[in-house]
Amino acid sequence: MSATPVTRQWRKPHFIASPWLRWGLILGTVFYLGWALATLPFDWSRISEGIPRAARIFGGGFPPSFERYELLFSGFKESFQIALLATLLGVLLSIPFAVMAARNIAPRPIYLLGRSVIIVSRSFHPVIVAILFVKAVGFGPLAGILTLTLYSIGFVGKLLAEEIEEIDWGQVEAMRAAGASYLSTLIFAVFPQILPRQIGLSMYQLDSNLRASAVVGIVGAGGIGSTLMNAFGRYDYDFAFAILLVIIAVILVSEGISGWVRKRVW
């Protein structure tokens, strides 16, 4: 009589091998979440009062009113101008900083300087930067352009630098072996490899800046955000909801155009 074969079932190994460490981290996380919820100053009575207030806001917003379409159009025109100018400036400025921040083509001091600029550009949310620029240059679209330009440098520069670090190095070596200068190597061996990525990032950044221009406008940096803030301040909820609907429509159209361009490029 033959013995029954022992079947073994493969199990995926745990991410943390030690059970003591694994369960300790789980219990510590659960304890921290409980402690954070227990110590944060939630005002439940105020939250309960806010629910009917939110219902009044949503009730007052329907149906949305497009009667002041001229004001709506002028706000969006300014937002689009801010986003377009900031994207152009930000993308153009991000290219030299990306080259400086690429470890494989920049000397170490230049690399550290480029990375520092990108890190500083990415350190703060656009709203915080917009507040600083509004204090520095005053209310209006200039503060919005400066804010979104800095934001674009941080985002596009970081991703572009990482793209440069992953290029096919054979083309660079071939150019150097032929005696090409540093600038010629960049133009003919590096930039052609990152061009599709650069176009895709530029389109995405324009899309992102359109959304961000509405947010920074709330703190006085121009665009449709200022119009939206004024509408909420006057309890003009139907007009505010009309603005929100148009923002959603603009973002959808922008997303469609961005996807179409990326398909054409790749």
Side-chain angles (χ1 to χ4, degrees), residues 9-236:
Q9 186 175 6
W10 180 83
R11 291 184 178 180
K12 182 180 179 181
H14 293 287
F15 179 70
I16 300 175
S18 170
W20 290 100
L21 179 59
R22 185 168 63 249
W23 283 105
L25 287 175
I26 293 173
L27 291 175
T29 303
V30 172
F31 174 78
Y32 175 77
L33 289 175
W35 174 80
L37 288 173
T39 54
L40 283 175
F42 291 120
D43 188 345
W44 294 108
S45 61
R46 187 167 183 176
I47 292 173
S48 62
E49 293 172 0
I51 294 175
R53 191 181 307 125
R56 284 197 301 274
I57 292 174
F58 280 95
F62 288 97
S65 173
F66 293 91
E67 292 180 355
R68 280 168 287 172
Y69 62 89
E70 293 180 353
L71 185 60
L72 189 61
F73 176 75
S74 64
F76 266 104
K77 182 168 71 66
E78 189 171 272
S79 276
F80 185 76
Q81 290 170 325
I82 291 172
L84 188 61
L85 287 172
T87 303
L88 288 173
L89 288 173
V91 168
L92 287 175
L93 292 174
S94 69
I95 294 174
F97 286 119
V99 171
M100 293 168 63
R103 190 193 301 269
N104 55 343
I105 61 172
R108 185 165 179 78
I110 301 297
Y111 164 77
L112 293 176
L113 177 61
R115 281 287 169 181
S116 300
V117 172
I118 290 176
I119 289 171
V120 170
S121 302
R122 288 169 45 80
S123 297
F124 301 103
H125 192 276
V127 171
I128 298 175
V129 180
I131 293 172
L132 295 175
F133 278 123
V134 165
K135 292 292 183 184
V137 301
F139 292 98
L142 180 59
I145 293 171
L146 294 175
T147 299
L148 297 183
T149 299
L150 191 65
Y151 172 55
S152 302
I153 291 172
F155 181 79
V156 178
K158 178 181 185 300
L159 295 183
L160 205 58
E162 292 175 354
E163 187 72 15
I164 293 174
E165 290 176 345
E166 295 175 359
I167 61 173
D168 179 10
W169 197 245
Q171 297 184 35
V172 177
E173 289 182 336
M175 291 286 295
R176 288 180 175 175
S181 64
Y182 182 79
L183 185 59
S184 298
T185 305
L186 284 179
I187 294 174
F188 296 107
V190 176
F191 289 159
Q193 297 190 60
I194 65 170
L195 183 60
R197 180 68 167 165
Q198 172 70 51
I199 295 174
L201 284 175
S202 302
M203 293 302 300
Y204 177 81
Q205 192 59 34
L206 176 61
D207 180 77
S208 178
N209 282 346
L210 277 172
R211 289 193 297 267
S213 65
V215 177
V216 299
I218 293 175
V219 295
I224 194 63
S226 303
T227 311
L228 180 63
M229 194 63 187
N230 291 333
F232 274 115
R234 296 193 304 267
Y235 304 102
D236 199 356

